[in-house]
Amino acid sequence: MSSRWSDITRDDLELELAALGARLDWSPTPDLAESILATQAAPTPLPRARHRRHWLAAAALVLLIVGALLAGSATVRTSVADFLGIDGVRIEFGEPPAAPVETPNLGTPTSMQDFVRWLPFAPMQPAALDQPDALYLHVLENGDVLGLMAWPPDDALPQAAETGLGALLMQFEPPDDIYMMIKTVGTSTGSITETTVNGEPAWWIEVASNLTIFGEESIDSRSTANVLLWQQGDIGFRLESALSMDEALAIAESLEPVS
Amino acid sequence: MDDDLIQRARTGDQHALEQLVRRYQDVAFRVALVITGDRDEAQDATQTAFIKAVQALGSFRTDAPFRPWLLRIVANEAKNRVRSRARHATGPLDERIVSLGPSPAELAERNERHRELLAAVRTLSLPDQQIITYRYFLDLSESEIASLLGCPRGTVKSRLSRATVRLREALVSGQGGIIDV
């Protein structure tokens, strides 16, 4: 198979795909007209439309940090106000969302097989931890899919009060034109520290914060524990836990492809 | 052409409504199939989407294209059905959904290329299969795909670009574009 395609250009590949598309036989379309017309005789009421709040037209995933940086931390505030170096990540300052919900909505529970199939990249997991206890797929408002791995609390993973979990690892493919945003408001204490994971820029967020995800069904807002945020290759990662920065870094640096 | 049918369908013209359904039921059903991977769910989603679209015709802007608006409704209905079940039934390009049409013997080389290409697309992740199918197999424009997915057109371009890169890698390696599970 490989030799036939080794020199193909992208333009030629697109032409081949279009030619293939023209030859495909699809499963036959059922005749829907009759059944649809029949319903017009006895129309059913439309379900109530979902209320969509568009926080930002382009934002699908928003991290909101409620609680300003330490008073007097002008240096840190300036450094994190820049574009962070993870594709699509930006820090801004703004108002928090509505009151957070108690129980985090992690998405749809899934198997490892579907976890691998639904994510548009090769997912990773930390070798420093056991197999995750649960896997979730969270569909964003624009149809992109986040993958989440959850570990229960144990001797090595203290329970994070915000999630009830020992660790929660989110992985995603940051698109070019929507972005993750960190907003800080208020005057509570905490810090955002720039660090590295395997030599790549990373941010340790240890401040009272809210996470808001604009999913297809709802806008979920909840309090978060400590967060390590970084990018490895083309994939973004977010590790949430009650661990220290060094402990979180050790986990982050142990990522390997899912086996 | 759509404007006239829509205007007439709004007034309760059943013939116009029937024409509108027949004009778009193929592409609508195939979009639903790509998302659900299941004929029954795709049929249910498509039918519900058409019913909702008909009921919402009064608020549809006739200066806007009808097909992307309809397909967005179809996609949402199909996604609702996928989310309501624990596991994805099958891939969007499963052999029960699409197959290669017949080819004359003198085009054996082309047939072999297409067979390999389809097999490689089937090894990609489900989102990659879906976006390649929308663009190249259902011939939807990037704007229509953006409307269907509810994302900016730039996002569609970048996702398509990545998907084709991964497809090429799958073709060259002959081992599939993503982890085999």
PDB file of all heavy atoms in Angstrom, chain A residues 21 54-55 66 76 89-90 105 119 124-125 136 138 148 166 172 191 193 200 203 221 235 253:
ATOM      1  N   GLY A  21     -15.428   9.812  -3.396  1.00  0.00           N
ATOM      2  CA  GLY A  21     -16.751  10.191  -2.919  1.00  0.00           C
ATOM      3  C   GLY A  21     -17.823  10.029  -3.981  1.00  0.00           C
ATOM      4  O   GLY A  21     -18.950   9.631  -3.688  1.00  0.00           O
ATOM      5  N   HIS A  54     -23.736  33.070  24.891  1.00  0.00           N
ATOM      6  CA  HIS A  54     -22.471  33.148  24.164  1.00  0.00           C
ATOM      7  C   HIS A  54     -21.560  34.094  24.908  1.00  0.00           C
ATOM      8  O   HIS A  54     -21.592  35.295  24.700  1.00  0.00           O
ATOM      9  CB  HIS A  54     -22.688  33.613  22.732  1.00  0.00           C
ATOM     10  CG  HIS A  54     -23.446  32.621  21.924  1.00  0.00           C
ATOM     11  ND1 HIS A  54     -22.833  31.524  21.346  1.00  0.00           N
ATOM     12  CD2 HIS A  54     -24.749  32.521  21.630  1.00  0.00           C
ATOM     13  CE1 HIS A  54     -23.748  30.816  20.727  1.00  0.00           C
ATOM     14  NE2 HIS A  54     -24.908  31.384  20.872  1.00  0.00           N
ATOM     15  N   TRP A  55     -20.786  33.494  25.806  1.00  0.00           N
ATOM     16  CA  TRP A  55     -19.869  34.294  26.607  1.00  0.00           C
ATOM     17  C   TRP A  55     -18.921  35.036  25.695  1.00  0.00           C
ATOM     18  O   TRP A  55     -18.690  36.205  25.796  1.00  0.00           O
ATOM     19  CB  TRP A  55     -19.125  33.366  27.557  1.00  0.00           C
ATOM     20  CG  TRP A  55     -18.220  34.043  28.487  1.00  0.00           C
ATOM     21  CD1 TRP A  55     -16.908  34.325  28.298  1.00  0.00           C
ATOM     22  CD2 TRP A  55     -18.558  34.541  29.770  1.00  0.00           C
ATOM     23  NE1 TRP A  55     -16.403  34.970  29.397  1.00  0.00           N
ATOM     24  CE2 TRP A  55     -17.379  35.120  30.311  1.00  0.00           C
ATOM     25  CE3 TRP A  55     -19.739  34.571  30.517  1.00  0.00           C
ATOM     26  CZ2 TRP A  55     -17.353  35.702  31.570  1.00  0.00           C
ATOM     27  CZ3 TRP A  55     -19.693  35.145  31.779  1.00  0.00           C
ATOM     28  CH2 TRP A  55     -18.512  35.706  32.287  1.00  0.00           C
ATOM     29  N   VAL A  66     -11.368  32.888  39.610  1.00  0.00           N
ATOM     30  CA  VAL A  66     -11.989  33.879  40.471  1.00  0.00           C
ATOM     31  C   VAL A  66     -11.071  34.086  41.654  1.00  0.00           C
ATOM     32  O   VAL A  66     -10.807  33.186  42.419  1.00  0.00           O
ATOM     33  CB  VAL A  66     -13.366  33.402  40.954  1.00  0.00           C
ATOM     34  CG1 VAL A  66     -13.965  34.428  41.907  1.00  0.00           C
ATOM     35  CG2 VAL A  66     -14.279  33.201  39.781  1.00  0.00           C
ATOM     36  N   VAL A  76       3.964  39.136  38.107  1.00  0.00           N
ATOM     37  CA  VAL A  76       3.277  37.923  37.663  1.00  0.00           C
ATOM     38  C   VAL A  76       2.094  38.291  36.786  1.00  0.00           C
ATOM     39  O   VAL A  76       1.838  37.688  35.768  1.00  0.00           O
ATOM     40  CB  VAL A  76       2.811  37.090  38.877  1.00  0.00           C
ATOM     41  CG1 VAL A  76       2.066  35.861  38.403  1.00  0.00           C
ATOM     42  CG2 VAL A  76       4.007  36.700  39.719  1.00  0.00           C
ATOM     43  N   VAL A  89      -4.290  29.694  24.064  1.00  0.00           N
ATOM     44  CA  VAL A  89      -4.468  29.992  25.486  1.00  0.00           C
ATOM     45  C   VAL A  89      -4.175  31.460  25.725  1.00  0.00           C
ATOM     46  O   VAL A  89      -3.191  31.997  25.264  1.00  0.00           O
ATOM     47  CB  VAL A  89      -3.529  29.136  26.365  1.00  0.00           C
ATOM     48  CG1 VAL A  89      -3.728  29.498  27.832  1.00  0.00           C
ATOM     49  CG2 VAL A  89      -3.797  27.671  26.141  1.00  0.00           C
ATOM     50  N   ARG A  90      -5.032  32.099  26.476  1.00  0.00           N
ATOM     51  CA  ARG A  90      -4.858  33.520  26.754  1.00  0.00           C
ATOM     52  C   ARG A  90      -5.339  33.798  28.166  1.00  0.00           C
ATOM     53  O   ARG A  90      -6.257  33.147  28.656  1.00  0.00           O
ATOM     54  CB  ARG A  90      -5.686  34.309  25.749  1.00  0.00           C
ATOM     55  CG  ARG A  90      -5.534  35.798  25.812  1.00  0.00           C
ATOM     56  CD  ARG A  90      -6.617  36.464  24.956  1.00  0.00           C
ATOM     57  NE  ARG A  90      -6.596  36.011  23.586  1.00  0.00           N
ATOM     58  CZ  ARG A  90      -5.826  36.544  22.633  1.00  0.00           C
ATOM     59  NH1 ARG A  90      -5.012  37.520  22.925  1.00  0.00           N
ATOM     60  NH2 ARG A  90      -5.862  36.084  21.412  1.00  0.00           N
ATOM     61  N   ASN A 105     -19.651  18.224  35.990  1.00  0.00           N
ATOM     62  CA  ASN A 105     -20.123  17.461  34.840  1.00  0.00           C
ATOM     63  C   ASN A 105     -18.906  17.104  33.996  1.00  0.00           C
ATOM     64  O   ASN A 105     -18.363  17.944  33.288  1.00  0.00           O
ATOM     65  CB  ASN A 105     -21.122  18.287  34.023  1.00  0.00           C
ATOM     66  CG  ASN A 105     -21.565  17.562  32.766  1.00  0.00           C
ATOM     67  OD1 ASN A 105     -21.390  16.355  32.649  1.00  0.00           O
ATOM     68  ND2 ASN A 105     -22.137  18.296  31.833  1.00  0.00           N
ATOM     69  N   LEU A 119     -11.328  10.654  20.100  1.00  0.00           N
ATOM     70  CA  LEU A 119     -10.422  11.792  20.143  1.00  0.00           C
ATOM     71  C   LEU A 119      -9.644  11.865  18.824  1.00  0.00           C
ATOM     72  O   LEU A 119      -9.124  10.863  18.349  1.00  0.00           O
ATOM     73  CB  LEU A 119      -9.445  11.647  21.315  1.00  0.00           C
ATOM     74  CG  LEU A 119     -10.094  11.755  22.696  1.00  0.00           C
ATOM     75  CD1 LEU A 119      -9.087  11.481  23.794  1.00  0.00           C
ATOM     76  CD2 LEU A 119     -10.705  13.144  22.880  1.00  0.00           C
ATOM     77  N   MET A 124      -2.884  10.259  25.512  1.00  0.00           N
ATOM     78  CA  MET A 124      -1.768   9.911  26.387  1.00  0.00           C
ATOM     79  C   MET A 124      -2.302   9.602  27.783  1.00  0.00           C
ATOM     80  O   MET A 124      -3.404  10.005  28.145  1.00  0.00           O
ATOM     81  CB  MET A 124      -0.781  11.074  26.474  1.00  0.00           C
ATOM     82  CG  MET A 124      -0.353  11.665  25.142  1.00  0.00           C
ATOM     83  SD  MET A 124       0.868  10.672  24.302  1.00  0.00           S
ATOM     84  CE  MET A 124       2.355  11.209  25.159  1.00  0.00           C
ATOM     85  N   GLN A 125      -1.491   8.884  28.559  1.00  0.00           N
ATOM     86  CA  GLN A 125      -1.821   8.685  29.969  1.00  0.00           C
ATOM     87  C   GLN A 125      -0.521   8.665  30.764  1.00  0.00           C
ATOM     88  O   GLN A 125       0.539   8.318  30.235  1.00  0.00           O
ATOM     89  CB  GLN A 125      -2.620   7.402  30.184  1.00  0.00           C
ATOM     90  CG  GLN A 125      -1.866   6.113  29.926  1.00  0.00           C
ATOM     91  CD  GLN A 125      -2.757   4.897  30.160  1.00  0.00           C
ATOM     92  OE1 GLN A 125      -3.500   4.479  29.278  1.00  0.00           O
ATOM     93  NE2 GLN A 125      -2.691   4.344  31.343  1.00  0.00           N
ATOM     94  N   TYR A 136     -13.989   9.821  30.315  1.00  0.00           N
ATOM     95  CA  TYR A 136     -15.145  10.587  29.879  1.00  0.00           C
ATOM     96  C   TYR A 136     -14.819  11.303  28.567  1.00  0.00           C
ATOM     97  O   TYR A 136     -13.671  11.656  28.305  1.00  0.00           O
ATOM     98  CB  TYR A 136     -15.523  11.660  30.917  1.00  0.00           C
ATOM     99  CG  TYR A 136     -15.822  11.097  32.289  1.00  0.00           C
ATOM    100  CD1 TYR A 136     -14.812  10.933  33.222  1.00  0.00           C
ATOM    101  CD2 TYR A 136     -17.134  10.748  32.646  1.00  0.00           C
ATOM    102  CE1 TYR A 136     -15.077  10.417  34.477  1.00  0.00           C
ATOM    103  CE2 TYR A 136     -17.398  10.244  33.902  1.00  0.00           C
ATOM    104  CZ  TYR A 136     -16.375  10.076  34.810  1.00  0.00           C
ATOM    105  OH  TYR A 136     -16.642   9.565  36.059  1.00  0.00           O
ATOM    106  N   HIS A 138     -16.186  14.745  26.626  1.00  0.00           N
ATOM    107  CA  HIS A 138     -17.018  15.934  26.819  1.00  0.00           C
ATOM    108  C   HIS A 138     -17.084  16.676  25.494  1.00  0.00           C
ATOM    109  O   HIS A 138     -16.053  17.105  24.981  1.00  0.00           O
ATOM    110  CB  HIS A 138     -16.408  16.820  27.904  1.00  0.00           C
ATOM    111  CG  HIS A 138     -17.363  17.818  28.461  1.00  0.00           C
ATOM    112  ND1 HIS A 138     -17.674  17.896  29.795  1.00  0.00           N
ATOM    113  CD2 HIS A 138     -18.095  18.780  27.864  1.00  0.00           C
ATOM    114  CE1 HIS A 138     -18.551  18.852  29.997  1.00  0.00           C
ATOM    115  NE2 HIS A 138     -18.819  19.410  28.842  1.00  0.00           N
ATOM    116  N   LEU A 148     -11.296  13.060  29.123  1.00  0.00           N
ATOM    117  CA  LEU A 148     -10.950  13.200  30.543  1.00  0.00           C
ATOM    118  C   LEU A 148     -10.691  11.847  31.152  1.00  0.00           C
ATOM    119  O   LEU A 148     -11.426  10.886  30.901  1.00  0.00           O
ATOM    120  CB  LEU A 148     -12.089  13.894  31.310  1.00  0.00           C
ATOM    121  CG  LEU A 148     -12.295  15.365  31.005  1.00  0.00           C
ATOM    122  CD1 LEU A 148     -13.411  15.556  29.999  1.00  0.00           C
ATOM    123  CD2 LEU A 148     -12.598  16.139  32.269  1.00  0.00           C
ATOM    124  N   GLY A 166      -8.902  12.124  43.043  1.00  0.00           N
ATOM    125  CA  GLY A 166      -7.480  12.246  43.312  1.00  0.00           C
ATOM    126  C   GLY A 166      -6.789  13.053  42.210  1.00  0.00           C
ATOM    127  O   GLY A 166      -5.907  13.854  42.468  1.00  0.00           O
ATOM    128  N   PHE A 172      -6.884  17.617  24.949  1.00  0.00           N
ATOM    129  CA  PHE A 172      -7.693  18.213  23.889  1.00  0.00           C
ATOM    130  C   PHE A 172      -6.774  18.704  22.783  1.00  0.00           C
ATOM    131  O   PHE A 172      -5.571  18.898  22.976  1.00  0.00           O
ATOM    132  CB  PHE A 172      -8.524  19.383  24.437  1.00  0.00           C
ATOM    133  CG  PHE A 172      -7.707  20.399  25.207  1.00  0.00           C
ATOM    134  CD1 PHE A 172      -7.190  21.511  24.570  1.00  0.00           C
ATOM    135  CD2 PHE A 172      -7.443  20.227  26.552  1.00  0.00           C
ATOM    136  CE1 PHE A 172      -6.423  22.439  25.262  1.00  0.00           C
ATOM    137  CE2 PHE A 172      -6.673  21.145  27.259  1.00  0.00           C
ATOM    138  CZ  PHE A 172      -6.169  22.255  26.603  1.00  0.00           C
ATOM    139  N   SER A 191      -1.676  32.075  43.169  1.00  0.00           N
ATOM    140  CA  SER A 191      -0.584  32.387  42.254  1.00  0.00           C
ATOM    141  C   SER A 191      -0.753  31.646  40.955  1.00  0.00           C
ATOM    142  O   SER A 191      -1.412  30.601  40.884  1.00  0.00           O
ATOM    143  CB  SER A 191       0.764  32.010  42.885  1.00  0.00           C
ATOM    144  OG  SER A 191       0.824  30.609  43.071  1.00  0.00           O
ATOM    145  N   THR A 193       2.067  30.357  38.262  1.00  0.00           N
ATOM    146  CA  THR A 193       3.509  30.226  38.124  1.00  0.00           C
ATOM    147  C   THR A 193       3.861  29.623  36.783  1.00  0.00           C
ATOM    148  O   THR A 193       3.320  28.576  36.405  1.00  0.00           O
ATOM    149  CB  THR A 193       4.071  29.319  39.239  1.00  0.00           C
ATOM    150  OG1 THR A 193       3.658  29.832  40.498  1.00  0.00           O
ATOM    151  CG2 THR A 193       5.589  29.253  39.162  1.00  0.00           C
ATOM    152  N   GLU A 200       8.764  22.160  27.702  1.00  0.00           N
ATOM    153  CA  GLU A 200       7.731  22.995  27.071  1.00  0.00           C
ATOM    154  C   GLU A 200       7.072  23.893  28.121  1.00  0.00           C
ATOM    155  O   GLU A 200       6.938  23.502  29.279  1.00  0.00           O
ATOM    156  CB  GLU A 200       6.665  22.112  26.412  1.00  0.00           C
ATOM    157  CG  GLU A 200       7.183  21.282  25.248  1.00  0.00           C
ATOM    158  CD  GLU A 200       7.672  22.140  24.095  1.00  0.00           C
ATOM    159  OE1 GLU A 200       7.044  23.179  23.819  1.00  0.00           O
ATOM    160  OE2 GLU A 200       8.702  21.767  23.474  1.00  0.00           O
ATOM    161  N   TRP A 203       1.942  26.099  32.952  1.00  0.00           N
ATOM    162  CA  TRP A 203       1.491  27.044  33.975  1.00  0.00           C
ATOM    163  C   TRP A 203       0.868  26.286  35.128  1.00  0.00           C
ATOM    164  O   TRP A 203       0.017  25.413  34.924  1.00  0.00           O
ATOM    165  CB  TRP A 203       0.480  28.034  33.373  1.00  0.00           C
ATOM    166  CG  TRP A 203       1.197  29.026  32.532  1.00  0.00           C
ATOM    167  CD1 TRP A 203       1.661  30.247  32.898  1.00  0.00           C
ATOM    168  CD2 TRP A 203       1.617  28.821  31.179  1.00  0.00           C
ATOM    169  NE1 TRP A 203       2.334  30.830  31.851  1.00  0.00           N
ATOM    170  CE2 TRP A 203       2.341  29.986  30.797  1.00  0.00           C
ATOM    171  CE3 TRP A 203       1.478  27.783  30.264  1.00  0.00           C
ATOM    172  CZ2 TRP A 203       2.895  30.136  29.531  1.00  0.00           C
ATOM    173  CZ3 TRP A 203       2.037  27.924  29.002  1.00  0.00           C
ATOM    174  CH2 TRP A 203       2.736  29.095  28.645  1.00  0.00           C
ATOM    175  N   SER A 221     -20.243  25.425  35.129  1.00  0.00           N
ATOM    176  CA  SER A 221     -19.257  26.224  35.831  1.00  0.00           C
ATOM    177  C   SER A 221     -19.043  25.616  37.204  1.00  0.00           C
ATOM    178  O   SER A 221     -20.006  25.320  37.911  1.00  0.00           O
ATOM    179  CB  SER A 221     -19.754  27.663  35.964  1.00  0.00           C
ATOM    180  OG  SER A 221     -18.812  28.437  36.678  1.00  0.00           O
ATOM    181  N   ILE A 235      -1.039  18.629  21.394  1.00  0.00           N
ATOM    182  CA  ILE A 235      -2.124  18.325  22.322  1.00  0.00           C
ATOM    183  C   ILE A 235      -1.994  19.180  23.579  1.00  0.00           C
ATOM    184  O   ILE A 235      -0.905  19.348  24.122  1.00  0.00           O
ATOM    185  CB  ILE A 235      -2.103  16.838  22.722  1.00  0.00           C
ATOM    186  CG1 ILE A 235      -2.000  15.963  21.466  1.00  0.00           C
ATOM    187  CG2 ILE A 235      -3.323  16.480  23.545  1.00  0.00           C
ATOM    188  CD1 ILE A 235      -3.093  16.228  20.448  1.00  0.00           C
ATOM    189  N   GLU A 253       5.144  14.811  33.362  1.00  0.00           N
ATOM    190  CA  GLU A 253       6.319  14.429  32.589  1.00  0.00           C
ATOM    191  C   GLU A 253       6.404  12.928  32.356  1.00  0.00           C
ATOM    192  O   GLU A 253       7.347  12.455  31.710  1.00  0.00           O
ATOM    193  CB  GLU A 253       7.593  14.959  33.251  1.00  0.00           C
ATOM    194  CG  GLU A 253       7.648  16.482  33.214  1.00  0.00           C
ATOM    195  CD  GLU A 253       8.969  17.048  33.678  1.00  0.00           C
ATOM    196  OE1 GLU A 253       9.634  16.385  34.496  1.00  0.00           O
ATOM    197  OE2 GLU A 253       9.328  18.149  33.208  1.00  0.00           O
TER     198      GLU A 253
END
